[in-house]
Amino acid sequence: MVSYWNSYVFISLFLVLGLLLPIGALMILGPLLRPKNPTEAKLTTYESGVEPFGEAHVQYNVRYYLFALMFVVFDVEIMFLYPWAVSFESLGVFGLVEMFIFLGLLVIGLVYAWKKKVLEWK
Amino acid sequence: MEMFTWLDKPMSGMTFLNMALGAVIVLGFILGVVTYTIYFERKVIGWMQWRIGPNRVGPLGLFQTIADVLKLLIKEDIVPAKADRTMFLIAPIIAFFPSFMVLAVIPFSATHIFTAASNVGVIYYIALSALTIIGVVLGGWASNNKYALIGGMRSAAQMISYEVPLAMSLLAVVLMSGSMNLVEIVEAQKNFPYVWYIVPQFFGFIIFIISATAELNRTPFDLPEAESELVAGYFTEYSGFRFAFYMLAEYVYVFAMSALATTMYFGGWEGPFLPGWLWFAIKVSAFIFFFFWVRATMPRIRTDQLLSFSWKVLIPLALLNLVATAVVMTLV
């Protein structure tokens, strides 16, 4: 049997290594090896060779945020369903019916978004 | 092997050292895997297009990727004057570290020497892999470049849209095995009747593999990096080793996603005659090959079809698959 805490110590080690590798390579090893010779032309924003105009920090197409909102709803739903799936055996028919009600409510939401044409791309 | 039975031992300095060694070995292993995955991809796609592929650096071109990485390491690290400097610098790190962290729960072999065997393995994978989206969209925004912004936005929209059917199809597997622990899911596929979850969860697997391709931003879902319209997508402004970390994250995910598919649907390390780790390697390689094969075969999907395909086709089908699985489980 694998110890509960040992698993998380191991995962934390992955976190530390996953951060150390890029930080070490980019901030410690990198500056020793790479040249640093910024010129004004080099630092301009790339726009296919044309003089860049305007900023890219603009208010962008709102459609993306609608998808983000939908995602939050459905992702949270899935997070609720995972514990249900694990204990499905012990819940029996009661668990099944309860899940139907829960999913039913979400399907109504999806159908609503569908009818409102949130899912279309123009 | 004896050295790595640390997971069930009480915590001590020695156990901790063994764990650290295990994590470092996984890191070295994954860097090697990525190096040769890239070589393999270039060779396979070369052959499929009637070309030879890389063959100059080293025998059969085997050192090509190493040469590429060394080249990137000595390239200048350019931060555009208009970019949001801090965000621009940390975005590749945010994109990379979750890709390595997800490997902590992947069971590589029966002795699970390098596996955290966490009881929330599946959720852990989904939650961690979602963090990469932040790195991607942050990099696209911080570049202050129009191509990068559009690429980053597209990536985010695509990755969140396809994460929902991905998680839902995995949910049906969790339902069948009654566990989120990836080690236990593999062990559940060993029991009589000896079937991998690909058999009862065939439709779930189809949904999973389509969503996985989209999550990995691979053709036919490679819109975020559509070269012909967006230059390089969200990493247009990145050069040198920061660019390399975005690419590294992408290829680590190719491996991780193949490993997840193997674990959830193809019985992980289970298989006759050969040792477990070899079965695992064979199955994962087959998945990696599949992703490259699709890339060489399929044309790119259109943006307006991309998101509605996920929400209107895959998510309803995944829900249906989940409900059907639950009903069958109750009846049988």
Side-chain angles (χ1 to χ4, degrees):
Chain A
M1 189 54 209
V2 169
S3 151
Y4 180 82
W5 288 111
N6 283 9
S7 296
Y8 288 97
V9 172
F10 192 51
I11 285 172
S12 328
L13 281 168
F14 271 70
L15 172 65
V16 171
L17 275 182
L19 289 172
L20 270 185
L21 178 75
I23 290 171
L26 292 171
M27 294 177 186
I28 298 161
L29 185 63
L32 299 175
L33 294 173
R34 64 190 177 216
K36 186 164 169 57
N37 185 20
T39 61
E40 203 185 327
K42 219 184 262 175
L43 296 183
T44 47
T45 305
Y46 176 79
E47 245 175 77
S48 309
V50 182
E51 279 294 313
F53 62 92
E55 289 267 322
H57 290 169
V58 290
Q59 290 185 336
Y60 201 56
N61 196 345
V62 72
R63 297 220 151 255
Y64 286 107
Y65 303 103
L66 291 178
F67 280 101
L69 281 176
M70 295 273 293
F71 165 73
V72 170
V73 174
F74 275 83
D75 218 36
V76 170
E77 168 218 352
I78 291 166
M79 288 305 126
F80 279 134
L81 283 175
Y82 268 99
W84 164 81
V86 171
S87 51
F88 181 73
E89 293 270 291
S90 54
L91 290 174
V93 182
F94 171 71
L96 184 70
V97 173
E98 211 173 36
M99 191 271 291
F100 271 150
I101 297 169
F102 184 57
L103 283 185
L105 291 172
L106 273 150
V107 168
I108 293 170
L110 184 64
V111 171
Y112 178 76
W114 196 322
K115 288 280 171 214
K116 281 277 177 188
K117 298 204 169 23
V118 172
L119 309 179
E120 310 288 327
W121 192 267
K122 283 182 293 210
Chain B
M1 291 296 157
E2 193 52 45
M3 199 174 165
F4 290 110
T5 50
W6 37 261
L7 271 170
D8 38 13
K9 283 206 183 125
M11 186 45 81
S12 69
M14 203 57 214
T15 321
F16 186 80
L17 272 181
N18 279 338
M19 279 189 185
L21 189 60
V24 170
I25 288 174
V26 174
L27 182 64
F29 167 75
I30 193 62
L31 291 178
V33 165
V34 166
T35 306
Y36 283 96
T37 304
I38 294 172
Y39 170 75
F40 183 53
E41 172 166 30
R42 295 178 65 181
K43 271 288 184 197
V44 165
I45 289 181
W47 287 329
M48 284 182 179
Q49 295 171 343
W50 216 254
R51 296 183 284 115
I52 297 170
N55 68 341
R56 293 299 162 93
V57 188
L60 301 169
L62 277 168
F63 302 146
Q64 180 64 53
T65 319
I66 298 168
D68 289 343
V69 170
L70 287 178
K71 190 196 78 175
L72 283 171
L73 194 58
I74 56 171
K75 284 284 170 190
E76 187 174 350
D77 183 30
I78 299 166
V79 183
K82 280 178 136 187
D84 185 330
R85 194 180 166 84
T86 321
M87 291 300 159
F88 187 86
L89 295 183
I90 63 171
I93 302 173
I94 296 177
F96 170 75
F97 84 88
S99 77
F100 177 61
M101 274 186 82
V102 296
L103 297 175
V105 292
I106 302 283
F108 294 103
S109 83
T111 45
H112 38 90
I113 43 176
F114 299 126
T115 309
S118 167
N119 284 330
V120 290
V122 180
I123 284 191
Y124 173 85
Y125 186 100
I126 295 168
L128 258 287
S129 64
L131 285 183
T132 292
I133 302 172
I134 298 174
V136 164
V137 79
L138 196 62
W141 183 83
S143 300
N144 201 352
N145 175 312
K146 286 152 201 161
Y147 301 116
L149 177 74
I150 299 171
M153 282 295 190
R154 275 193 190 180
S155 299
Q158 174 179 332
M159 285 162 106
I160 60 176
S161 292
Y162 282 87
E163 198 174 294
V164 176
L166 183 90
M168 276 186 187
S169 50
L170 292 177
L171 188 57
V173 174
V174 173
L175 191 62
M176 290 193 73
S177 65
S179 173
M180 286 189 274
N181 186 333
L182 290 168
V183 175
E184 280 171 25
I185 289 173
V186 172
E187 272 160 7
Q189 295 176 76
K190 178 172 66 179
N191 297 340
F192 182 80
Y194 191 95
V195 271
W196 298 337
Y197 283 137
I198 174 74
V199 179
Q201 281 296 324
F202 185 72
F203 290 105
F205 174 70
I206 301 288
I207 296 163
F208 171 83
I209 202 74
I210 295 172
S211 319
T213 318
E215 275 288 286
L216 296 173
N217 286 341
R218 296 199 69 84
T219 328
F221 303 101
D222 62 341
L223 282 112
E225 296 160 33
E227 292 92 347
S228 47
E229 41 194 289
L230 286 179
V231 191
Y234 57 85
F235 52 67
T236 301
E237 289 291 357
Y238 281 90
S239 60
F241 228 52
R242 284 179 211 282
F243 165 80
F245 270 102
Y246 272 123
M247 292 308 276
L248 183 60
E250 215 172 295
Y251 280 91
V252 173
Y253 273 123
V254 170
F255 173 81
M257 197 60 97
S258 305
L260 187 70
T262 303
T263 310
M264 301 294 281
Y265 292 98
F266 283 83
W269 67 77
E270 296 292 343
F273 312 123
L274 299 174
W277 60 268
L278 192 56
W279 269 114
F280 186 82
I282 291 169
K283 290 170 188 174
V284 169
S285 312
F287 268 107
I288 292 175
F289 173 76
F290 172 78
F291 286 126
F292 297 162
W293 185 16
V294 170
R295 177 179 161 188
T297 313
M298 304 278 282
R300 187 180 295 138
I301 194 170
R302 269 188 4 230
T303 314
D304 57 330
Q305 298 166 334
L306 176 81
L307 295 178
S308 48
F309 178 65
S310 168
W311 289 97
K312 290 184 177 176
V313 181
L314 287 182
I315 291 176
L317 282 180
L319 272 172
L320 211 63
N321 177 57
L322 178 65
V323 169
T325 310
V327 170
V328 171
M329 289 266 297
T330 316
L331 294 179
V332 176

